[in-house]
């Protein structure tokens, strides 16, 4: 199942559109969720200022209606349901994501999603959700037929690579695997032989993934520079950028520092943050 969080913002509706297309692509149901404060959901009709609770519940119904209409407008077929939820947006979405295959959110929002990419909600959801989290940036653009994934050799990046292979296979897209060298990892520009060897080793490290997805065209790429810059530039020609939630080297502290912020703020396409295999994925293994 794909969970998509909405709050009435244009970004939330863009997330719905992406999630519905993804659901149709993968054959997964899509569950649209709007999270309202618990006190508003449970306020009795005879409570003081009960009209505030009624207004918020009415607003939740409107948000879900608009989201459902956006889902129905997508030119694909997917199983879509919509429902309100009560509580804190971060903890509620995390709870729902515990049994989901994917969690989708917009890159900006209102109400409980305010400051989504800058505050504790975004960092908490992307850093701790058991399933991949996709942050959608704007409405869909013309597809390029390429998925980009950052790889640094960590367990988290290997999970990201596995997710990226599956996405590329489902889309019939090319997969670009990018290894970024920074600091002491860099080789001298005058040593093209060593750089070529590293690119070859990167390609060989993907053997297991290639066996599972033999139809995916793969481009292995080794770059020098800052991971945020390299991946952001690569996203300009991608349909999806995939990164791991933890890493080492250039990806150290990905979700807690400047790399995370830069990629989520400046990537030109949706960004998938992969922490590891979800319960749904593990049941399929």
């Amino acid at each position: 199942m794909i969970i998509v969080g909405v709050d009435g913002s244009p970004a939330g509706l863009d997330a719905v559109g992406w999630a519905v297309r993804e659901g149709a692509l993968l054959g997964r149901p899509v569950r649209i969720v709007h999270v309202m404060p618990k006190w508003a959901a449970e306020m009795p009709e005879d409570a003081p200022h009960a009209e505030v609770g009624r207004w918020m519940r009415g607003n939740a119904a409107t948000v879900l209606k608009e989201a459902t209409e956006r889902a129905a407008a997508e030119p694909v077929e997917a199983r879509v349901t919509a429902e309100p939820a009560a509580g804190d947006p971060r903890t509620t979405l995390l709870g729902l994501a515990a049994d989901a295959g994917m969690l989708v959110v917009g890159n900006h929002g209102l109400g409980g999603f305010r400051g989504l990419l800058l505050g504790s909600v975004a960092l908490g959801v992307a850093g701790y959700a058991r399933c991949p989290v996709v942050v959608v940036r704007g409405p869909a653009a013309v597809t390029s037929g390429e998925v980009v994934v950052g790889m640094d050799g960590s367990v988290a990046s290997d999970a990201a690579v596995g997710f990226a292979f599956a996405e590329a296979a489902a889309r019939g897209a090319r997969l670009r695997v990018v290894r970024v060298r920074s600091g002491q990892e860099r080789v001298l520009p005058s040593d093209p032989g060593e750089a070529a060897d590293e690119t070859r080793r990167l390609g060989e490290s993907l053997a297991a993934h290639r066996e599972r997805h033999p139809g995916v065209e793969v481009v292995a790429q080794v770059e020098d520079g800052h991971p945020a810059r390299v991946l952001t530039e690569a996203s300009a020609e991608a349909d999806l950028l995939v990164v791991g939630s933890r890493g080492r080297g250039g990806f150290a502290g990905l979700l807690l520092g400047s790399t995370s912020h830069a990629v989520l703020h400046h990537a030109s396409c949706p960004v998938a943050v992969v922490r590891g295999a979800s319960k749904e994925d593990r049941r399929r293994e």
Side-chain angles (χ1 to χ4, degrees):
M1 175 176 289
I2 297 174
I3 305 292
V4 53
V6 297
D7 63 350
S9 68
L13 294 178
D14 290 336
V16 168
W18 191 92
V20 169
R21 294 190 297 276
E22 183 77 358
L25 191 67
L26 302 180
R28 293 183 181 180
V30 177
R31 182 180 178 186
I32 302 171
V33 178
H34 172 67
V35 184
M36 72 175 78
K38 188 174 182 180
W39 63 262
E42 299 178 351
M43 179 176 284
E45 286 297 326
D46 59 351
H49 308 295
E51 66 277 7
V52 177
R54 286 195 297 271
W55 180 86
M56 296 195 71
R57 292 191 295 273
N59 179 69
T62 299
V63 168
L64 291 173
K65 180 176 181 292
E66 292 176 348
T68 301
E69 291 173 349
R70 173 60 179 271
E74 292 297 326
V76 296
E77 292 187 6
R79 293 168 290 167
V80 179
T81 58
E83 62 184 70
D88 171 76
R90 182 184 64 178
T91 55
T92 301
L93 290 175
L94 285 175
L96 293 172
D99 291 307
M102 184 182 298
L103 173 61
V104 183
V105 294
N107 68 322
H108 291 295
L110 304 171
F113 286 87
R114 189 179 302 277
L116 179 63
L117 295 181
L118 298 176
S120 61
V121 172
L123 295 179
V125 169
Y128 295 101
R130 296 292 300 175
C131 64
V133 176
V134 177
V135 178
V136 177
R137 298 184 52 81
V142 177
T143 58
S144 65
E146 180 168 283
V147 173
V148 174
V149 60
M151 184 177 187
D152 66 354
S154 67
V155 173
S157 78
D158 187 65
V161 171
F163 176 86
F165 261 92
E167 284 288 319
R171 298 162 182 265
R174 176 177 57 252
L175 177 62
R176 185 174 299 275
V177 183
V178 182
R179 164 82 163 94
V180 184
R181 301 175 299 190
S182 60
Q184 296 180 347
E185 290 185 302
R186 296 183 186 179
V187 297
L188 294 175
S190 59
D191 191 0
E194 186 173 352
D197 286 343
E198 188 164 354
T199 301
R200 176 181 53 78
R201 290 194 296 271
L202 173 60
E204 292 173 349
S205 71
L206 303 172
H209 294 291
R210 288 177 186 267
E211 289 180 3
R212 286 191 288 271
H213 302 284
V216 174
E217 177 188 353
V218 180
V219 177
Q221 178 179 337
V222 178
E223 294 284 346
D224 290 333
H226 192 284
R229 178 187 61 79
V230 173
L231 293 177
T232 297
E233 290 177 354
S235 75
E237 299 181 359
D239 296 329
L240 180 68
L241 171 62
V242 185
V243 294
S245 64
R246 291 289 186 270
R248 66 185 186 192
F251 287 87
L254 178 62
L255 293 178
L256 302 177
S258 61
T259 300
S260 165
H261 291 165
V263 169
L264 290 174
H265 277 292
H266 301 296
S268 302
C269 64
V271 178
V273 181
V274 181
R275 181 172 181 241
S278 68
K279 288 184 179 180
E280 182 172 304
D281 293 333
R282 288 195 296 270
R283 284 196 294 265
R284 291 197 177 105
E285 293 178 352

